[in-house]
Amino acid sequence: NWQKQKTNFDYVGEVKNEEFYAAFASLTTFYERIWYGSNTLAQHDFYWIEPAFKALLKSITDEKKK
């Protein structure tokens, strides 16, 4: 459940027993490095990350249907 005081890694910890945990943790780390770090998102990174995010969203949606 979303709460204002939680960090992205609080959410990573909450899904540690889910099938999508590894993808969620990896993408969260990538997001943190871009959003909060001094890194920029290169075009080749976007081409890798977009399908990974879409696959994660599908995985989460599929998991909720079970």
Side-chain angles (χ1 to χ4, degrees):
N1 293 329
W2 183 85
Q3 293 180 12
K4 187 175 184 173
Q5 74 277 8
K6 285 186 181 180
T7 67
N8 291 332
F9 289 101
D10 288 332
Y11 295 112
V12 169
E14 289 180 10
V15 299
K16 66 183 174 184
N17 296 320
E18 301 292 340
E19 289 183 25
F20 56 83
Y21 168 78
F24 185 75
S26 174
L27 290 167
T28 299
T29 299
F30 193 85
Y31 171 82
E32 292 275 333
R33 288 180 181 162
I34 299 300
W35 190 257
Y36 297 108
S38 58
N39 301 308
T40 57
L41 182 63
Q43 188 173 13
H44 68 273
D45 292 326
F46 177 80
Y47 288 131
W48 170 83
I49 201 86
E50 182 185 31
F53 267 106
K54 286 181 178 180
L56 174 62
L57 290 173
K58 183 179 182 327
S59 177
I60 292 169
T61 302
D62 291 349
E63 185 69 25
K64 284 184 174 185
K65 290 179 183 177
K66 290 182 181 180

